[in-house]
Amino acid sequence: MNLRTPTGGAVDRNTVLHFTFNGTEYTGHPGDTLASALLAHGVHEIGSSVKLGRPRGIVAAGSEDPTSLVQVEAPFSEPMLLATTVELYDGLVARGLAGQGRLSAEPDPARYDAKHEHCDVLVVGAGPAGLVAALTAARAGARVVLVDEQNQAGGALLGVDEYLDDRPSAEWVADVVAELRSTPGVLVLERTTAFGMYQDGFVLALQKRTDHLGFAAPASAARQRVWRIRTRQTVLATGAHERPVVFADNDRPGIMLASSARTFLHRYGVLPGSRAVVFTTNDSAYCAAIDLAESGVDVALVVDARPEAPARLATECAARGIEVRAGQVVTGTDGPGRITAAHVGDERIACDALLVSGGWNPVVSLFSQARGKLRYDAELGAFVPGEELSSVRVAGSATGELDLTACARQGRDAGAGAARAAGFTAGGQVPLPASDSRCTARSGLVLWRVPGSDDTSFVDLQRDSTVADVLRATGAGLRSLEHIKRYTTIGTAHDQGKTSGMIAAGIVAEALGVELAEQRPTTFRPPYTSVSFAALAGRDRGELHDPVRVTSIHPWHVEHGALFEDVGQWKRPWYYPRPGEDLHTAVLRECKATREGVGMMDGSTLGKIDVQGRDAGAFLDMLYTNMMSTLKVGRIRYGVMCGVDGMVIDDGTVIRVGEQRYLVTTTTGNAAKVLDWMEEWLQTEWPHLDVHCTSVTEHWATIPLVGPRSRDVLAAVAPDLDVSNEAFEFMTWRDTEVAGVPARVCRISFSGELAYEINVTAWHGITVWEALMAAGERYGITPYGTETMHVLRAEKGYPIIGQETDATVTPQDLGMSWAVSKKKRDFIGKRSFARAENNRTDRKQLVGLLPADPSVLLPEGSQIVETDRLPEPPVRMLGHVTSSYPSAALGRTFALALVRSGHERIGETLYVPVDDSLVPVTVTESVLYDKEGARRDG
Amino acid sequence: MTVSPLAAWSDRLAALAPVLDAAEVPFRSQLTVRVSDPDAIAAMGSTLGVGFPSAACTFTSGTGPCGDVEVLWLGPDEFLVTAPPDQQVTIEEVLRGALGTAWGSVVDTSAQRTTVVLQGPRVRDVLAHGCSVDLHPASAPRGTCVQTLLARTGIVLQVTGDDRVTVLVRSSFAGYLAAWLVDACTEYLAVP
């Protein structure tokens, strides 16, 4: 069937595009949407409904369409697109959906991106009001962004054949757009939907940049772009959507909105059918009836619900042989799928298209998102903007205005007002176009529904929600539209109730016998139309998904086969497997080499903060639980930091660099948090202290050199340094040269072994690392990763913040009462240590666990129970395993755990459920290796 | 031997021409200065031969005994002094001297960040894909200096010319920044 008109429409009839829908091949033209191309072949049936499986067609011509959901299969599978907004391209393959699509299992090869844009005046919508608003603001010299959802400017003018100022409206539109484009500081974006409006003039818009090119879309271009627009003033010229009327069997394909049928005619040169019935409550549908009749459609009847038909339009209809019946309604339809007849009175009028108009709903979504209050306009039967906002203006039919010149005037006022508010005085006044439209701008009768079978009277065609569902909700006692929306799901589909929400509100008000003016409309939320996750993700995928932070020595780790562990955003070497080694064997080797010879690791990720000022010592005394101000220059002290609740938040070392200068280290993951913590106290509580903190984390590369032979290796690369134990004591530091590079060497150990931490600027990191490797070669120097570090420290019972601690653990719980000063008058957390809760003897305390079977490795996180048989639940849990490793030094497995009254239980046997058995374990002190500390000095 | 954070990226950054002239300027001297005492600020400025910026979100530049020096406003009492390589020890000394007994701190942070210079007619476009600051010349004229985000990394951004900016990025994030820049230029390189 060919329903393409011989002439007319903005499609390129000289070019034929081939496409496939539901397995059948069709043709169309550039300028078509998938919907218009299908209608040109008489195809109305797109898919079926989500719950009831009833056939679904095309209701509207744009993004408000509730039904024409398709899955595009080629070029790339994409679900839940509207046939009315998919621009046709050659080779398109699509199929109709039953309310649900299917995400592709393949990664989307297209690029998506985002761009920030700033302007003085943002205009949303390029219909008559928006165009005049944008031009007015542009002439005033403002930076203007004009966004419009369609592939060309014009808005409602695209769907009519009216003349403006005695010439086709397209010419007027083209002139305005041309002037806008040639004005510096103006950005016009087509195919761009402003979908979210937020505080302070922040608007998100989605631009579909290459979707319409199909297979020809260049791979290098972002397919879609999220514009992140920050504007001082906004003009919303978002237009209005036609509203249907609900009646029995109103969901058949072939039933569409009257103005949409008119749009298909004028924009695409496509007829909705061969014989049409028009059902209206207002004047606007008469234009559709007359235009379609003039294009060859047999318009059988105009059914006007109003008691009297408008005289002039009725006469024009009569002149074209169109019967008009006033005071009547359509009460039902027939058809196997597509409509074959409309019920009017007792008659069944044969037709293959039923065009409906129930009036117009201003598009107030963005206004409402901007927190603008809405007001019910009883004459329009719609919610309209109900207040003026300081930075958001509304113009055109979005205000409820129906007359074109009046809309354009509103646009001019809004554009000038917005420019003025942004500090620009008006430039040349934009003349207002006059229309030749035969349809007078009058609102009609407000009619939500025609009484009939409630079960087949569909309110939300996408959700299969009917009048019966609404009445069930009100019958159940629901009164709020928000509740009824959730109960019935009306307005929750892809279209967010653009055509159904207002009607649902009307039916609810009728059912409850209340005035709509007293009902609060449901909240409009972003996004206005569907936005894919791919677009929102943009370029933040793959390697750009999250920054990967690397140290200056990273290239060496990669080159030497390290596997990496993610620590926050850092990539840290986890272990360095040799051929054939797994984690277990590699770590045992690394541990053994370090305890018996020498190992080294990249510790550059440790947080480092320079603390300077006269009061630096006093400040650190407040921050750490132990005393720092008594530390002598040249010495180092371990410190624990607690929150105000007395719970451990971080630990590290404090180096006294000078009389008024310290360098503190933090754990890798807490570097930024600790600096913020310091700044917060300095800025809010202790501004009287002369202290300044500066992050130097990335200025320094830090290399722990660990093991009994570390002294030999250091001596080889630091000839100026006396490395003897007497000259360079534990917990002191020296400035010297290492491998010819200025370095600060600290005698710190996180393994219990003789160890040094060598700090050089990050620029020298890799050079010094390689020099140490070379110098250590004769001692079998072994690079090790975080796993070996964890084992070595766990053998010594050193806790890791965040692994042994979880914000409920005090220093005392960790067995570190020695690190809590009893002399200091005050420090953060001190007061909490006196709380009864902190002094309970049954707190969970850090202990070691040795499984009875030395080969059993307890899973970290395992619970710990008291008995060898599980009693009936609830089972009393004594605590959990925090760390668990096989140990080369101990020749067996071991674990650290937080256990109730752990310190008192040393020597007891407890049990750990592993799979289906209870593993007996002996509780020990947390220090399992070298308890006397004999290895520290080498 | 010294290795800069973006040493491995120089070819890939150079390949962004003609869309973007992008290059790392490695090993620059950088010192973080915390000071609010006006006399100390004035003394520091005259020692360097470059007055410290008094307006927020700006930087100053000039030539003095330590060469071409820039002073970046980073916060109400925080500045970053940048200079050619190997000046950091001298500058730290002279600034400490100028600070005297006033409250404040001077810290060598030269290796904390690396410097990337970006130049070309598309520089604002490319940055607008990841930077929410308005870089329109009317809003961000030459002399602007802001701490902001570029995509997911913090940066210090200096507007140094009509189509020229300097970006300072934490060394550990430099690779991410370079990867992001290369990716951001994809479309512009395809359609210059």
Side-chain angles (χ1 to χ4, degrees):
Chain A
M1 191 191 284
N2 181 14
L3 289 167
R4 187 81 70 174
T5 57
T7 58
V11 294
D12 172 13
R13 289 162 190 263
N14 297 320
T15 307
V16 176
L17 303 175
H18 297 266
F19 70 101
T20 306
F21 183 72
N22 283 349
T24 307
E25 289 187 16
Y26 298 97
T27 58
H29 301 295
D32 265 326
T33 60
L34 175 58
S36 70
L38 287 170
L39 291 177
H41 293 277
V43 177
H44 274 256
E45 201 169 317
I46 299 296
S48 53
S49 70
V50 66
K51 279 192 298 197
L52 305 172
R54 288 168 68 105
R56 287 285 180 264
I58 297 165
V59 170
S63 64
E64 74 274 30
D65 184 44
T67 51
S68 70
L69 283 180
V70 298
Q71 172 111 13
V72 167
E73 300 286 14
F76 180 76
S77 184
E78 195 175 8
M80 303 295 277
L81 300 176
L82 280 172
T84 54
T85 60
V86 173
E87 293 185 50
L88 194 68
Y89 47 82
D90 208 42
L92 171 71
V93 179
R95 61 184 175 83
L97 292 176
Q100 286 178 341
R102 175 181 44 77
L103 281 172
S104 171
E106 303 296 313
D108 188 344
R111 288 175 65 83
Y112 296 83
D113 74 3
K115 198 169 182 192
H116 295 272
E117 184 63 41
H118 301 259
C119 59
D120 300 308
V121 179
L122 168 69
V123 180
V124 181
L131 286 170
V132 173
L135 192 57
T136 302
R139 285 186 180 175
R143 281 167 78 187
V144 175
V145 174
L146 171 63
V147 300
D148 188 86
E149 171 175 66
Q150 307 281 336
N151 61 2
Q152 53 186 311
L157 295 173
L158 295 169
V160 299
D161 64 343
E162 287 165 13
Y163 276 56
L164 295 182
D165 300 337
D166 300 323
R167 52 186 189 141
S169 57
E171 288 182 16
W172 177 82
V173 171
D175 284 354
V176 174
V177 172
E179 183 178 340
L180 285 170
R181 285 203 194 285
S182 64
T183 307
V186 176
L187 179 65
V188 181
L189 296 171
E190 284 109 1
R191 299 186 174 94
T192 305
T193 306
F195 65 81
M197 188 151 187
Y198 307 86
Q199 279 84 359
D200 301 322
F202 183 48
V203 176
L204 292 180
L206 179 75
Q207 182 184 24
K208 297 194 169 177
R209 300 174 74 231
T210 68
D211 293 43
H212 62 289
L213 299 177
F215 289 88
S220 59
R223 178 174 182 245
Q224 298 182 357
R225 173 172 292 167
V226 175
W227 288 86
R228 304 173 66 86
I229 303 167
R230 286 165 181 85
T231 182
R232 300 164 79 178
Q233 295 286 320
T234 304
V235 176
L236 297 175
T238 43
H241 289 146
E242 194 163 27
R243 174 173 77 225
V245 179
V246 174
F247 46 84
D249 296 315
N250 60 331
D251 61 331
R252 293 188 197 286
I255 301 175
M256 63 166 55
L257 292 164
S259 67
S260 295
R262 197 175 176 216
T263 297
F264 281 117
L265 169 65
H266 294 302
R267 186 165 175 187
Y268 306 103
V270 169
L271 304 175
S274 48
R275 185 174 159 87
V277 169
V278 176
F279 175 29
T280 187
T281 63
N282 63 88
D283 290 0
S284 66
Y286 282 83
C287 289
I290 292 166
D291 289 357
L292 287 168
E294 288 183 346
S295 301
V297 176
D298 173 11
V299 181
L301 183 64
V302 172
V303 183
D304 194 329
R306 293 174 288 186
E308 270 185 55
R312 189 175 57 78
L313 289 169
T315 311
E316 288 209 38
C317 283
R320 290 164 179 83
I322 305 170
E323 185 190 346
V324 176
R325 288 191 206 168
Q328 299 225 21
V329 292
V330 171
T331 55
T333 65
D334 294 330
R338 184 168 173 185
I339 186 170
T340 54
H343 304 183
V344 182
D346 298 333
E347 275 185 74
R348 283 174 156 71
I349 315 286
C351 63
D352 59 1
L354 173 57
L355 313 179
V356 183
S357 177
W360 294 84
N361 296 332
V363 178
V364 292
S365 178
L366 294 179
F367 180 79
S368 177
Q369 287 181 30
R371 305 289 169 90
K373 282 198 177 62
L374 301 178
R375 170 181 66 80
Y376 179 70
D377 183 319
E379 203 172 308
L380 290 172
F383 288 108
V384 297
E387 63 174 338
E388 286 184 10
L389 300 178
S390 61
S391 61
V392 181
R393 290 166 171 74
V394 187
S397 54
T399 65
E401 178 58 57
L402 299 170
D403 177 70
L404 183 134
T405 306
C407 285
R409 180 176 295 112
Q410 287 183 345
R412 189 167 73 185
D413 292 347
R420 206 162 35 242
F424 298 86
T425 45
Q429 201 176 52
V430 179
L432 301 178
S435 164
D436 71 336
S437 174
R438 57 166 73 85
C439 291
T440 48
R442 284 197 316 158
S443 40
L445 174 76
V446 174
L447 177 67
W448 310 118
R449 68 171 183 126
V450 176
S453 165
D454 292 344
D455 285 329
T456 63
S457 296
F458 289 87
V459 179
D460 187 329
L461 273 65
Q462 184 53 231
R463 285 288 190 234
D464 270 343
S465 297
T466 63
V467 171
D469 294 323
V470 177
L471 298 181
R472 201 170 293 127
T474 53
L478 301 181
R479 298 180 68 83
S480 147
L481 289 178
E482 292 284 4
H483 293 160
I484 291 166
K485 173 180 175 177
R486 282 153 184 79
Y487 188 83
T488 62
T489 72
I490 290 171
T492 61
H494 71 278
D495 62 337
Q496 292 287 290
K498 290 184 177 67
T499 53
S500 58
M502 192 63 237
I503 292 175
I507 296 171
V508 167
E510 278 179 3
L512 296 176
V514 299
E515 291 296 323
L516 253 172
E518 284 147 31
Q519 279 276 26
R520 272 181 47 185
T522 54
T523 309
F524 291 88
R525 294 189 180 86
Y528 170 71
T529 51
S530 303
V531 180
S532 72
F533 283 111
L536 292 174
R539 292 170 47 221
D540 295 341
R541 30 194 279 197
E543 67 169 341
L544 299 179
H545 174 248
D546 197 27
V548 172
R549 300 179 69 182
V550 296
T551 71
S552 58
I553 309 167
H554 186 77
W556 191 95
H557 307 317
V558 174
E559 205 177 305
H560 290 80
L563 295 183
F564 291 90
E565 179 183 27
D566 290 334
V567 182
Q569 291 175 314
W570 289 100
K571 285 268 180 240
R572 298 197 67 182
W574 187 19
Y575 60 102
Y576 299 80
R578 288 182 179 167
E581 280 186 339
D582 60 7
L583 168 73
H584 177 72
T585 48
V587 169
L588 283 179
R589 171 180 54 76
E590 290 175 7
C591 286
K592 188 168 187 297
T594 305
R595 288 238 184 263
E596 295 175 5
V598 57
M600 68 176 194
M601 75 174 303
D602 184 354
S604 304
T605 61
L606 273 186
K608 304 167 203 81
I609 301 168
D610 180 291
V611 181
Q612 278 186 50
R614 232 155 308 194
D615 301 313
F619 172 63
L620 295 177
D621 280 347
M622 288 301 290
L623 226 54
Y624 287 93
T625 57
N626 43 351
M627 190 83 89
M628 293 301 174
S629 55
T630 54
L631 192 63
K632 291 191 169 53
V633 174
R635 302 200 72 89
I636 302 169
R637 191 166 286 165
Y638 171 79
V640 177
M641 216 178 257
C642 287
V644 289
D645 55 3
M647 302 301 163
V648 175
I649 57 171
D650 206 56
D651 71 345
T653 54
V654 175
I655 298 167
R656 187 148 196 181
V657 179
E659 275 308 318
Q660 299 186 5
R661 190 171 186 183
Y662 296 77
L663 183 76
V664 310
T665 65
T666 74
T667 56
T668 295
N670 282 341
K673 207 167 90 183
V674 170
L675 182 63
D676 285 351
W677 180 245
M678 291 176 163
E679 283 291 347
E680 182 181 338
W681 285 97
L682 283 174
Q683 291 181 24
T684 64
E685 299 293 333
W686 308 322
H688 57 281
L689 295 184
D690 173 16
V691 180
H692 288 97
C693 305
T694 305
S695 169
V696 288
T697 298
E698 296 178 47
H699 180 69
W700 297 103
T702 302
I703 305 171
L705 182 68
V706 182
R709 307 312 297 264
S710 58
R711 181 173 285 136
D712 300 316
V713 177
L714 182 63
V717 290
D720 299 342
L721 186 66
D722 182 350
V723 295
S724 68
N725 195 43
E726 298 69 37
F728 191 1
E729 288 175 67
F730 185 58
M731 295 305 257
T732 62
W733 60 269
R734 298 284 181 274
D735 278 348
T736 183
E737 279 196 355
V738 172
V741 169
R744 174 165 298 154
V745 183
C746 303
R747 252 199 79 187
I748 297 171
S749 180
F750 195 42
S751 57
E753 300 297 326
L754 172 70
Y756 303 88
E757 272 186 17
I758 298 157
N759 294 279
V760 294
T761 73
W763 301 332
H764 293 103
I766 203 158
T767 310
V768 171
W769 175 276
E770 283 174 341
L772 288 166
M773 282 300 294
E777 194 178 355
R778 54 192 290 215
Y779 306 105
I781 194 165
T782 300
Y784 66 86
T786 50
E787 191 67 17
T788 291
M789 174 190 82
H790 280 209
V791 178
L792 297 177
R793 64 86 205 176
E795 289 167 348
K796 289 292 292 179
Y798 299 150
I800 295 247
I801 304 302
Q803 182 156 344
E804 269 67 39
T805 69
D806 62 359
T808 67
V809 179
T810 65
Q812 295 85 348
D813 297 338
L814 293 174
M816 294 208 278
S817 300
W818 56 268
V820 179
S821 168
K822 309 208 169 33
K823 292 185 203 149
K824 287 197 289 185
R825 197 177 56 81
D826 197 13
F827 58 87
I828 296 171
K830 178 180 167 94
R831 198 180 61 170
S832 297
F833 293 145
R835 293 193 316 154
E837 176 65 25
N838 288 51
N839 291 291
R840 281 169 54 164
T841 53
D842 64 343
R843 287 185 64 80
K844 289 184 183 170
Q845 295 159 335
L846 186 68
V847 292
L849 298 181
L850 293 174
D853 177 347
S855 67
V856 169
L857 184 66
L858 302 173
E860 288 178 355
S862 296
Q863 295 291 320
I864 298 159
V865 298
E866 201 151 21
T867 52
D868 62 354
R869 212 161 299 165
L870 281 184
E872 283 302 303
V875 181
R876 186 168 178 248
M877 299 297 171
L878 296 180
H880 68 280
V881 174
T882 57
S883 296
S884 175
Y885 310 99
S887 163
L890 303 175
R892 54 160 303 136
T893 60
F894 74 102
L896 296 178
L898 287 168
V899 178
R900 282 207 181 284
S901 311
H903 296 157
E904 286 174 16
R905 289 180 187 271
I906 287 168
E908 279 184 27
T909 298
L910 298 175
Y911 299 87
V912 176
V914 178
D915 297 326
D916 292 331
S917 63
L918 286 178
V919 174
V921 298
T922 307
V923 180
T924 71
E925 284 176 44
S926 57
V927 184
L928 288 153
Y929 182 69
D930 184 31
K931 284 178 190 163
E932 49 293 333
R935 308 188 59 83
R936 192 189 78 187
D937 295 329
Chain B
M1 203 186 94
T2 51
V3 180
S4 68
L6 289 177
W9 281 90
S10 57
D11 290 350
R12 280 170 285 178
L13 290 177
L16 300 181
V19 169
L20 213 55
D21 290 328
E24 182 187 23
V25 185
F27 311 128
R28 287 189 40 92
S29 306
Q30 299 179 49
L31 293 105
T32 302
V33 179
R34 299 287 298 272
V35 60
S36 47
D37 180 79
D39 294 336
I41 290 175
M44 287 180 166
S46 59
T47 309
L48 291 175
V50 185
F52 275 41
S54 51
C57 298
T58 63
F59 73 96
T60 53
S61 52
T63 306
C66 302
D68 295 336
V69 172
E70 291 178 343
V71 185
L72 287 59
W73 186 97
L74 295 187
D77 69 348
E78 185 174 356
F79 303 89
L80 187 72
V81 175
T82 69
D86 300 326
Q87 298 294 316
Q88 60 267 36
V89 175
T90 314
I91 295 178
E92 182 167 351
E93 241 166 59
V94 300
L95 288 180
R96 251 179 221 297
L99 179 64
T101 56
W103 287 18
S105 70
V106 180
V107 183
D108 177 9
T109 51
S110 300
Q112 176 89 340
R113 299 182 181 89
T114 195
T115 306
V116 183
V117 171
L118 305 174
Q119 188 166 14
R122 305 312 290 266
V123 67
R124 288 166 207 269
D125 272 327
V126 171
L127 291 174
H129 287 288
C131 177
S132 63
V133 172
D134 186 3
L135 296 176
H136 191 279
S139 301
R142 177 188 292 209
T144 297
C145 172
V146 288
Q147 290 197 79
T148 181
L149 285 173
L150 183 61
R152 299 190 170 203
T153 178
I155 56 165
V156 178
L157 186 145
Q158 295 172 261
V159 179
T160 53
D162 287 347
D163 291 316
R164 191 171 186 275
V165 301
T166 296
V167 174
L168 304 180
V169 61
R170 288 283 192 105
S171 300
S172 69
F173 285 93
Y176 167 82
L177 176 101
W180 186 89
L181 275 176
V182 168
D183 187 63
C185 288
T186 305
E187 188 168 331
Y188 298 102
L189 283 168
V191 190

